[in-house]
């Protein structure tokens, strides 16, 4: 399987990344996730897949029916940052250094939980995997789930036509084909995200390089020869296919401004 050094981006400067992610448009599309969790009648446990700096703990900690929160992430420095935030929370929070493609520690923990478990993965975390890894994460998460559990995902939608049209380039740089315009718009949009610049420049003294990978329809970010980031945007059809392949049933698919919120069960 292709190796993507995603850890490098998220763990280079967790404090900077924590601030930067709040400004991303997708954050506003989390409201259906918050409402879904709030409206759950029974006591529930939450598992955040890719908890990062624990931005979501701020709202999860305020929801009454949550008895405990488990967060997993594979990046040590982001978990360290998250641990400090968790100490200030009222709820029981368990943080595990674990890999979403092979969540061994998580499996042990959730096997003992009796109440429904809501697995969440926010702000397009699933889009940061190669297509093979993505299928694996779906499968492994489904294998953890029991009948009463739910999976809630926030996934980036394909780029908005208005954004594509708003990119105004000099005529000699303007692509003729619509497909090329879309690719360019995605590259420019990613290249403008602050998470790729200041921390990487400071630590590695290098500029990232942005590329559009035709095969997987992914934006790929390189630092020298290393693939340090991948971002995929989803279509509704693709989301349905991924769920079907893993044996998950979609209960709700809501369309926000930048992201889809998908709620599924086994
Ligand atoms: C987009 S961030 C989301 C962070 C946080 N949940 C939020 O919404 O602000 C994705 C997180 O997933 C983590 N991650 C990526 N691949 C992972 C993997 N294979 N296993 C565990 N964590 C992973 C990254 O380290 C990063 O912290």
């Amino acid at each position: 399987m292709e190796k993507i050094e995603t850890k490098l981006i998220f763990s280079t400067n967790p404090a900077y990344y924590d601030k930067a992610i709040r400004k991303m448009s997708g954050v506003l599309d989390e409201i259906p996730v918050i409402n879904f969790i709030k409206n759950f009648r029974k006591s529930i446990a939450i598992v955040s897949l890719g908890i990062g700096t624990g931005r979501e703990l701020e709202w999860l900690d305020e929801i009454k029916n949550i008895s405990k929160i488990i967060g997993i992430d594979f990046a040590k420095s982001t978990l360290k940052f998250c641990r400090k935030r968790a100490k200030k929370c009222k709820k029981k929070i368990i943080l595990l250094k674990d890999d979403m493609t092979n969540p061994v520690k998580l499996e042990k923990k959730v096997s003992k939980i009796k109440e429904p478990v809501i697995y969440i993965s926010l702000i397009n975390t699933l889009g940061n995997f190669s297509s093979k890894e993505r299928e694996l994460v779906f499968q492994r998460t489904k294998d953890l789930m029991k009948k009463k559990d739910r999976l809630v995902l926030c996934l980036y939608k394909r780029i908005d036509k208005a954004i594509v049209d708003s990119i105004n380039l000099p005529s000699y740089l303007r692509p003729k084909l619509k497909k090329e315009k879309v690719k360019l718009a995605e590259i420019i949009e990613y290249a403008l995200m602050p998470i790729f610049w200041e921390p990487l420049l400071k630590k590695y003294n290098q500029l990232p390089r942005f590329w559009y990978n035709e095969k997987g329809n992914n934006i790929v970010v390189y630092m020298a020869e290393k693939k340090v980031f991948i971002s995929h945007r989803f279509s509704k059809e693709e989301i349905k296919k991924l769920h079907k392949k893993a044996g998950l049933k979609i209960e709700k698919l809501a369309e926000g401004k930048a992201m889809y919120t998908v709620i599924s069960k086994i």
Side-chain angles (χ1 to χ4, degrees), residues 12-191:
T12 295
N13 186 341
Y16 182 89
Y17 146 70
D18 188 66
K19 261 194 210 150
I21 217 157
R22 280 161 207 278
K23 291 183 194 145
M24 284 161 74
S25 56
V27 169
L28 289 175
D29 291 338
E30 272 170 18
I31 290 163
V33 183
I34 303 173
N35 289 338
F36 173 74
I37 296 173
K38 260 190 193 162
N39 293 335
F40 228 85
R41 295 238 172 85
K42 297 175 198 153
S43 163
I44 52 172
I46 299 286
V47 170
S48 179
L49 300 163
I51 192 164
T53 55
R55 184 185 56 85
E56 55 269 43
L57 288 179
E58 283 168 6
W59 50 264
L60 283 170
D61 198 40
E62 299 304 322
I63 301 179
K64 283 202 187 89
N65 54 343
I66 299 174
S67 67
K68 59 171 100 46
I69 302 161
I70 302 174
I72 74 159
D73 207 284
F74 66 176
K76 216 170 151 188
S77 64
T78 29
L79 275 177
K80 193 175 162 197
F81 186 98
C82 189
R83 214 155 263 135
K84 279 192 202 146
R85 174 168 279 147
K87 275 194 187 140
K88 292 184 196 145
C89 294
K90 306 180 277 289
K91 293 202 191 292
K92 180 177 178 188
I93 296 161
I94 302 161
L95 296 174
L96 306 171
K97 187 175 176 302
D98 212 0
D99 195 321
M100 285 161 71
T101 60
N102 187 25
V104 192
K105 290 184 202 157
L106 179 65
E107 192 171 9
K108 260 195 186 162
K109 275 274 177 248
V110 291
S111 66
K112 292 177 197 140
I113 300 178
K114 298 275 182 293
E115 56 206 341
V117 181
I118 312 297
Y119 294 85
I120 62 172
S121 202
L122 302 174
I123 201 108
N124 204 38
T125 298
L126 259 291
N128 300 148
F129 292 89
S130 68
S131 57
K132 280 267 165 282
E133 280 181 324
R134 211 178 295 139
E135 283 178 17
L136 186 61
V137 172
F138 260 86
Q139 194 59 57
R140 294 304 312 257
T141 309
K142 186 244 162 182
D143 292 345
L144 298 176
M145 289 170 71
K146 295 185 277 304
K147 219 172 162 192
K148 55 192 174 185
D149 299 344
R150 293 291 180 272
L151 172 64
V152 185
L153 298 173
C154 288
L155 304 170
Y156 269 138
K157 300 194 303 188
R158 294 266 161 94
I159 198 162
D160 211 62
K161 190 180 172 294
I163 299 176
V164 178
D165 293 342
S166 72
I167 291 175
N168 204 359
L169 291 171
S171 57
Y172 62 93
L173 281 177
R174 215 175 292 151
K176 297 268 179 302
L177 296 173
K178 185 178 165 243
K179 205 172 108 188
E180 297 301 317
K181 270 192 199 165
V182 170
K183 284 195 253 171
L184 190 69
E186 280 199 21
I187 292 178
I188 293 175
E189 208 191 33
Y190 271 94

Side-chain angles (χ1 to χ4, degrees), residues 208-225:
R209 185 162 57 89
F210 294 80
W211 197 251
Y212 195 97
N213 180 318
E214 305 264 352
K215 211 171 143 217
N217 277 321
N218 301 317
I219 293 286
V220 185
V221 185
Y222 291 87
M223 288 281 284
E225 294 312 309

